[in-house]
Amino acid sequence: MNKIDRIKELVKLLNKAAKAYYSEADEIMSNYEYDKLYDELVALEEETGYVQSDSPTINVGYEVLSELPKESHEKPMLSLNKTKEREELAAFLGEQNGILSWKLDGLTIVLTYVDGKLTKAVTRGNGEVGEVITGNAKVFKNIPLNIAFRGELIIRGEAVIKYSDFESINAAIENEDEKYKNPRNLCSGSVRQLNNEITAKRNVNFFAFSVVKADGVEFNDSKEEQNKWLESQGFMVVERKLVTGANVVEAVEYFADAIKDNDFPSDGLVLTFDSISYGQSLGRTAKFPRDSIAFKWADETARTHLLEVEWSASRTGLINPVAIFEPVELEGTTVSRASVHNVSIVEELMLGLGDEIEVYKANMIIPQISQNLTKSGTLVIPSECPVCNGPTKIKKQNETRSLYCTNPDCLAKQLKSFSHFVSRNAMNIDGISEATLEKFISMGFIKEYADIYHLDRYKENIVSMEGFGAKSYDNIIASVDNSRQTELPKLIFALGIANIGLANAKVICKAYNNDVDRIVMLNEEELTALEGIGDVIAESFVKYFANTKKKEQFIKLLPELNFKQEEKKEQILEGKVFVITGSVMHFANRNEIKDLIESLGGKVTGTVSANTNYLINNDVNSTSSKNKTAKKLGVEIISEEQFLSMIKGE
């Protein structure tokens, strides 16, 4: 392959990885691999002079993909140039003073305060356009809603979730498949929630790191003065050290030691000039500002030998490979295991038992295999499930090859499915843990979901089982009985249908008025006609109820349950079509307004058209495209207050 073709290949790979990471909260390659490929691309572009228009070395991020309102930033939010060499930091500073701080691994947020009040919060997005998450920011754990300063203040910072909170949240999720991969993914999903009640439960923290605008404040040409001023206003500011070219390497050592006990995720450090005017005088490149540079940890690696690959089956049938190797010391701890994630990575690494491999800790925390030095490629992908010995099959999704158990009666699938069924967001049967389910299934007490509601048949057996007793039995039965009062969407979600979340289940049930007989007979065309239900979801839903055994088990459940009926509201908005845009003040988010409109018989669409009756926008005089279209078509533009008055009949 020639160098130009290699550049094209690298651009495609890196853009795909960046899109997954920033827009889809997924991770298809490690930071180690990304940095390695990125550095190769930079070198090739410099050598050949060839740079593609979509190269990650000149472009910033991807368009955001969500239903949150979007807004352009006053100033572009650029990425930082990076280095892994500590000596380069001293060269970067020269004779200038600098500030060295954590490069936190979360989601960058821009906050705006006017007259002392938080008025707006916007995510970084693609650097030019971000998502408005004001309602969510107001429930971050440590953001001040009011400050002493009365001018307009615009600051930037990082929203992060602590490792301790991340572990607590994951510990409460019984199903392995549903656990979050890392704090950044959890934070990204939490910050961009359409319901800020969920955000509030996630303990999101905000750390300020720069001032964009502060009317009338004199900072004496010092970013450190800005930091101190932000602290005086009540903001948490990222931990930092004042440095010079003479002591910056020593300061890096401090952070390298501190990261071992740091509760906040960090993927490196940031060095910036203290002098604001000097930094501004340097200008910027197409992608990077010249006043700052990122320092990425040069990962400590160790060579070892692969002893075994453990294959772990899950509720969905996915079988994940975990590498077991000779124990090595990394970043002060002994490690002997690392997730390999999927078959594609196993094949890329060309793994074989006994191979000499190089391992490291991503961000000095998570053990990963960086490379295989032997590359024997002799590892045999199991043809049988490690749990039930049923046949396995490799499936390819989004260019990733993964191993699945094809036996529908696999105990692992049953156990995980039952665990999902009793989980909090499903049937909420407290007191039946996965370990308890495993015992009851192995004893033959539970063969299908309906059996959970007849555990009283086995009272004597359960009371006499080791680790149980009369009190445990009573608690289980009470919890089972409490779960009989439920809602149809929760039952649909509890079935564990692939790709069907609680939100999807609510959409389907609401559209068909909770008519069970009608819902189980829906076809793909009827489902895809519903907003938010795509082909994949529709196919999964129809396929589930087309399975005679599964449908029969579902029907057996119905007599055991009492479904709460949704309160019928007067359909005062019937026939009215609304579009909602901009930030909201009286509701948690735009979806909350949408739910209210739909409960009153109205309809909400995403585009203003001749069929639209009202455009809800708190900025009725905005020059946005939706406002312009509404005025052109004669569509009435109303604020939230006017909408609330409308539904109250005022």
Side-chain angles (χ1 to χ4, degrees):
M1 180 184 296
N2 65 40
K3 292 175 182 177
I4 299 296
D5 288 339
R6 178 58 176 164
I7 288 175
K8 292 179 178 179
E9 181 182 55
L10 288 169
V11 168
K12 184 178 179 181
L13 280 170
L14 292 169
N15 281 344
K16 181 181 177 182
K19 182 178 181 181
Y21 189 73
Y22 289 107
S23 298
E24 300 163 359
D26 196 8
E27 192 169 354
I28 61 175
M29 70 170 64
S30 67
N31 285 341
Y32 184 100
E33 184 179 2
Y34 184 94
D35 288 345
K36 185 178 179 182
L37 295 178
Y38 186 96
D39 290 342
E40 182 185 352
L41 176 60
V42 170
L44 283 172
E45 287 179 344
E46 289 177 352
E47 181 182 348
T48 62
Y50 176 82
V51 182
Q52 287 190 187
S53 61
D54 61 343
S55 172
T57 65
I58 61 168
N59 286 317
V60 183
Y62 281 85
E63 290 296 331
V64 290
L65 305 173
S66 80
E67 297 177 38
L68 292 166
K70 298 176 177 63
E71 182 172 296
S72 297
H73 296 296
E74 277 194 19
K75 295 181 180 179
M77 299 184 67
L78 304 176
S79 300
L80 295 179
N81 201 356
K82 65 180 178 10
T83 181
K84 290 187 177 181
E85 303 300 325
R86 302 182 184 199
E87 291 71 22
E88 279 192 34
L89 298 179
F92 174 83
L93 278 180
E95 299 299 317
Q96 291 289 321
N97 294 329
I99 300 172
L100 188 67
S101 62
W102 292 116
K103 184 175 182 293
L104 297 176
D105 193 17
L107 209 64
T108 302
I109 308 291
V110 182
L111 301 182
T112 300
Y113 288 79
V114 177
D115 294 330
K117 294 182 179 180
L118 175 63
T119 59
K120 187 164 57 181
V122 185
T123 67
R124 177 185 183 277
N126 68 353
E128 298 285 344
V129 178
E131 299 163 297
V132 180
I133 49 101
T134 311
N136 292 344
K138 287 180 177 179
V139 296
F140 284 4
K141 190 173 182 180
N142 66 337
I143 275 188
L145 299 182
N146 296 279
I147 59 174
F149 179 63
R150 287 294 178 263
E152 183 179 22
L153 171 67
I154 303 176
I155 65 172
R156 293 175 180 172
E158 198 82 356
V160 296
I161 289 179
K162 293 180 180 179
Y163 281 116
S164 53
D165 288 326
F166 167 74
E167 289 163 3
S168 297
I169 291 168
N170 260 354
I173 302 173
E174 294 186 357
N175 295 321
E176 285 295 324
D177 295 349
E178 297 175 5
K179 291 181 184 290
Y180 296 94
K181 290 182 179 180
N182 53 56
R184 188 199 180 280
N185 284 357
L186 174 58
C187 183
S188 177
S190 302
V191 167
R192 300 163 70 207
Q193 280 290 328
L194 297 177
N195 179 355
N196 72 344
E197 183 180 355
I198 298 173
T199 307
K201 295 175 182 177
R202 300 283 176 80
N203 286 342
V204 179
N205 284 263
F206 175 84
F207 288 89
F209 57 66
S210 70
V211 174
V212 178
K213 181 181 182 182
D215 288 343
V217 183
E218 176 55 55
F219 295 117
N220 299 315
D221 195 33
S222 170
K223 287 192 175 181
E224 176 57 13
E225 289 297 316
Q226 288 183 337
N227 290 329
K228 290 179 179 178
W229 182 81
L230 285 172
E231 288 173 333
S232 76
Q233 296 295 314
F235 293 98
M236 294 287 289
V237 178
V238 65
E239 184 184 3
R240 62 201 182 276
K241 282 187 172 294
L242 293 174
V243 294
T244 64
N247 66 7
V248 66
V249 173
E250 180 183 340
V252 172
E253 291 298 330
Y254 162 80
F255 285 103
D257 186 59
I259 197 172
K260 298 168 187 174
D261 302 311
N262 195 22
D263 200 19
F264 292 100
S266 166
D267 57 355
L269 304 172
V270 175
L271 178 63
T272 187
F273 294 113
D274 182 46
S275 171
I276 298 170
S277 60
Y278 180 77
Q280 290 176 343
S281 72
L282 299 176
R284 49 173 275 195
T285 67
K287 181 178 173 68
F288 307 122
R290 290 195 172 99
D291 67 342
S292 302
I293 188 170
F295 173 78
K296 301 281 283 185
W297 301 111
D299 302 293
E300 179 184 340
T301 62
R303 292 188 179 186
T304 182
H305 290 89
L306 183 65
L307 301 176
E308 181 186 351
V309 172
E310 184 181 277
W311 297 85
S312 175
S314 67
R315 173 176 69 89
T316 60
L318 178 65
I319 304 175
N320 292 311
V322 178
I324 315 296
F325 45 82
E326 294 173 348
V328 292
E329 290 287 323
L330 283 177
E331 313 293 354
T333 61
T334 302
V335 294
S336 59
R337 300 167 63 90
S339 174
V340 191
H341 303 296
N342 52 56
V343 172
S344 288
I345 295 177
V346 169
E347 292 172 340
E348 286 168 14
L349 289 170
M350 299 180 66
L351 292 177
L353 300 186
D355 283 359
E356 185 177 13
I357 59 176
E358 190 173 83
V359 295
Y360 74 106
K361 279 188 176 180
N363 295 338
M364 303 175 78
I365 300 292
I366 305 166
Q368 299 282 316
I369 298 176
S370 60
Q371 61 178 320
N372 179 8
L373 303 171
T374 308
K375 296 184 177 180
S376 68
T378 58
L379 183 69
V380 177
I381 308 299
S383 58
E384 294 184 353
C385 171
V387 175
C388 69
N389 297 320
T392 62
K393 181 180 181 181
I394 294 176
K395 298 180 182 179
K396 188 175 182 180
Q397 292 182 321
N398 298 325
E399 314 241 341
T400 298
R401 286 159 51 83
S402 300
L403 187 67
Y404 287 84
C405 172
T406 61
N407 175 16
D409 299 318
C410 175
L411 179 59
K413 292 183 182 180
Q414 290 182 38
L415 180 60
K416 294 295 183 182
S417 295
F418 281 109
S419 179
H420 173 73
F421 183 85
V422 303
S423 64
R424 183 176 301 172
N425 290 330
M427 297 308 293
N428 193 23
I429 306 179
D430 191 30
I432 300 187
S433 65
E434 194 166 289
T436 298
L437 284 168
E438 189 171 10
K439 289 180 181 178
F440 288 178
I441 291 171
S442 65
M443 295 291 289
F445 302 165
I446 298 174
K447 295 185 178 68
E448 57 182 280
Y449 296 134
D451 291 337
I452 293 174
Y453 294 92
H454 296 285
L455 287 171
D456 54 329
R457 298 170 180 169
Y458 306 99
K459 178 177 180 179
E460 291 184 13
N461 304 73
I462 294 172
V463 169
S464 61
M465 286 173 65
E466 184 179 352
F468 290 81
K471 187 174 181 180
S472 294
Y473 169 81
D474 289 341
N475 289 339
I476 289 172
I477 296 301
S479 188
V480 167
D481 286 340
N482 287 337
S483 76
R484 293 179 187 274
Q485 301 294 325
T486 189
E487 300 166 1
L488 184 58
K490 287 191 174 183
L491 175 61
I492 298 291
F493 172 63
L495 299 175
I497 305 172
N499 305 304
I500 304 294
L502 184 56
N504 307 133
K506 285 181 178 178
V507 168
I508 295 168
C509 293
K510 185 175 182 178
Y512 289 92
N513 298 314
N514 292 307
D515 184 342
V516 177
D517 295 333
R518 180 75 180 88
I519 288 169
V520 298
M521 297 300 293
L522 291 172
N523 59 43
E524 291 184 32
E525 185 177 352
E526 291 170 317
L527 285 164
T528 53
L530 302 178
E531 187 175 352
I533 307 297
D535 293 339
V536 174
I537 293 173
E539 182 182 356
S540 296
F541 191 90
V542 171
K543 186 177 179 180
Y544 185 92
F545 287 108
N547 183 305
T548 304
K549 183 178 178 181
K550 289 180 178 178
K551 187 175 180 181
E552 287 176 354
Q553 290 182 354
F554 173 73
I555 291 171
K556 283 185 184 179
L557 271 168
L558 299 178
E560 308 294 341
L561 306 171
N562 298 310
F563 297 118
K564 301 172 187 175
Q565 295 301 314
E566 188 176 342
E567 181 185 352
K568 290 289 183 181
K569 297 180 180 178
E570 185 181 353
Q571 303 295 283
I572 60 175
L573 298 180
E574 188 169 2
K576 303 295 184 185
V577 179
F578 293 78
V579 173
I580 310 165
T581 190
S583 301
V584 296
M585 295 184 297
H586 297 284
F587 296 84
N589 49 57
R590 292 189 298 170
N591 260 19
E592 197 172 280
I593 306 179
K594 178 183 176 184
D595 290 343
L596 177 57
I597 290 171
E598 291 176 346
S599 72
L600 297 173
K603 181 180 178 182
V604 178
T605 64
T607 307
V608 178
S609 69
N611 296 322
T612 306
N613 297 103
Y614 299 98
L615 170 63
I616 299 176
N617 186 352
N618 284 319
D619 187 358
V620 294
N621 297 315
S622 166
T623 57
S624 68
S625 59
K626 281 189 172 70
N627 274 33
K628 288 179 180 177
T629 303
K631 289 175 181 177
K632 182 178 179 181
L633 296 174
V635 174
E636 187 175 353
I637 304 172
I638 60 174
S639 65
E640 276 179 84
E641 286 85 354
Q642 290 172 303
F643 167 71
L644 291 170
S645 296
M646 176 193 297
I647 63 175
K648 290 175 183 176
E650 297 175 354

Coordinates of all heavy atoms in Angstrom, one line a residue, residues 570 572-573 578 586-587 596 600 638 640-650:
E570 N -58.9 15.5 29.6 CA -59.8 16.1 28.6 C -58.9 16.5 27.4 O -57.8 17.1 27.5 CB -60.5 17.3 29.1 CG -61.5 17.9 28.1 CD -62.1 19.2 28.7 OE1 -61.9 19.5 29.9 OE2 -62.8 19.9 27.9
I572 N -58.2 18.7 25.2 CA -58.5 20.1 24.8 C -57.6 20.5 23.6 O -57.8 21.6 23.0 CB -58.3 21.0 26.0 CG1 -56.8 20.9 26.6 CG2 -59.3 20.7 27.1 CD1 -56.5 21.8 27.7
L573 N -56.5 19.7 23.3 CA -55.6 20.1 22.2 C -55.8 19.2 21.0 O -55.0 19.2 20.1 CB -54.2 20.1 22.7 CG -53.8 21.0 23.8 CD1 -52.3 20.9 24.2 CD2 -54.1 22.5 23.5
F578 N -48.1 21.1 17.2 CA -47.2 22.0 17.9 C -45.7 21.6 17.4 O -45.4 20.5 17.1 CB -47.2 21.9 19.4 CG -48.4 22.4 20.0 CD1 -49.6 21.6 20.0 CD2 -48.5 23.6 20.7 CE1 -50.8 22.1 20.6 CE2 -49.6 24.1 21.3 CZ -50.8 23.3 21.3
H586 N -40.0 26.3 32.3 CA -41.0 25.8 33.3 C -41.0 24.3 33.2 O -41.8 23.7 34.0 CB -42.3 26.4 33.0 CG -42.4 27.9 33.1 ND1 -42.4 28.5 34.4 CD2 -42.4 28.9 32.2 CE1 -42.5 29.8 34.2 NE2 -42.4 30.1 32.9
F587 N -40.3 23.6 32.3 CA -40.3 22.2 32.2 C -38.9 21.7 32.3 O -37.9 22.5 32.0 CB -40.9 21.7 30.9 CG -42.4 22.1 30.7 CD1 -42.8 23.3 30.3 CD2 -43.3 21.1 31.0 CE1 -44.1 23.6 30.2 CE2 -44.7 21.4 30.9 CZ -45.1 22.7 30.5
L596 N -47.0 16.3 27.7 CA -48.2 17.0 28.2 C -49.1 17.3 27.0 O -50.3 17.1 27.1 CB -47.8 18.3 28.9 CG -48.9 19.2 29.4 CD1 -49.9 18.4 30.3 CD2 -48.4 20.4 30.0
L600 N -53.0 15.6 26.2 CA -54.1 16.5 26.0 C -54.7 16.4 24.6 O -55.5 17.2 24.2 CB -53.8 17.9 26.3 CG -53.4 18.2 27.8 CD1 -52.9 19.6 28.0 CD2 -54.5 17.8 28.7
I638 N -45.7 31.2 20.3 CA -46.1 31.5 21.6 C -45.0 31.0 22.6 O -44.2 30.2 22.3 CB -47.4 30.7 22.0 CG1 -47.2 29.2 21.9 CG2 -48.5 31.2 21.2 CD1 -48.4 28.4 22.4
E640 N -43.7 29.7 26.6 CA -44.2 28.7 27.5 C -45.3 29.2 28.4 O -46.3 28.5 28.6 CB -43.1 28.2 28.5 CG -42.2 27.2 27.9 CD -41.1 26.8 28.9 OE1 -41.3 26.0 29.8 OE2 -40.0 27.4 28.8
E641 N -45.2 30.5 28.8 CA -46.2 31.1 29.7 C -47.6 31.1 28.9 O -48.6 30.8 29.5 CB -45.8 32.5 30.1 CG -44.8 32.5 31.2 CD -43.4 32.5 30.6 OE1 -43.2 32.3 29.4 OE2 -42.4 32.6 31.4
Q642 N -47.5 31.5 27.6 CA -48.7 31.6 26.8 C -49.3 30.2 26.6 O -50.5 30.0 26.6 CB -48.4 32.2 25.5 CG -48.1 33.7 25.6 CD -47.6 34.3 24.2 OE1 -46.6 33.8 23.7 NE2 -48.3 35.3 23.7
F643 N -48.4 29.2 26.5 CA -48.9 27.8 26.3 C -49.6 27.3 27.6 O -50.7 26.7 27.5 CB -47.7 26.9 26.0 CG -48.1 25.4 26.1 CD1 -48.9 24.8 25.2 CD2 -47.5 24.7 27.1 CE1 -49.2 23.4 25.3 CE2 -47.8 23.3 27.3 CZ -48.7 22.7 26.3
L644 N -49.0 27.6 28.7 CA -49.6 27.2 30.0 C -50.9 27.9 30.2 O -51.9 27.3 30.7 CB -48.6 27.5 31.2 CG -47.4 26.6 31.2 CD1 -46.4 27.2 32.2 CD2 -47.7 25.2 31.5
S645 N -51.0 29.2 29.9 CA -52.3 29.9 30.0 C -53.3 29.2 29.1 O -54.5 29.1 29.4 CB -52.1 31.4 29.6 OG -51.2 32.0 30.5
M646 N -52.9 28.8 27.9 CA -53.8 28.2 26.9 C -54.5 26.9 27.5 O -55.7 26.8 27.4 CB -53.0 27.8 25.6 CG -53.9 27.1 24.6 SD -52.8 26.4 23.3 CE -52.1 27.9 22.6
I647 N -53.6 26.1 28.1 CA -54.2 24.8 28.5 C -55.0 25.0 29.8 O -55.8 24.1 30.2 CB -53.1 23.7 28.7 CG1 -52.1 24.1 29.8 CG2 -52.4 23.4 27.4 CD1 -51.0 23.1 30.0
K648 N -54.8 26.1 30.5 CA -55.5 26.4 31.7 C -56.8 27.1 31.4 O -57.7 27.4 32.3 CB -54.7 27.3 32.7 CG -53.5 26.6 33.3 CD -52.7 27.5 34.2 CE -51.5 26.8 34.8 NZ -50.6 27.8 35.5
G649 N -57.0 27.5 30.1 CA -58.2 28.1 29.7 C -58.3 29.6 30.0 O -59.3 30.2 30.1
E650 N -57.1 30.2 30.3 CA -57.0 31.6 30.7 C -57.0 32.5 29.5 O -56.6 32.2 28.4 CB -55.8 31.8 31.5 CG -55.8 31.1 32.8 CD -54.5 31.2 33.6 OE1 -53.5 31.8 33.1 OE2 -54.4 30.7 34.8

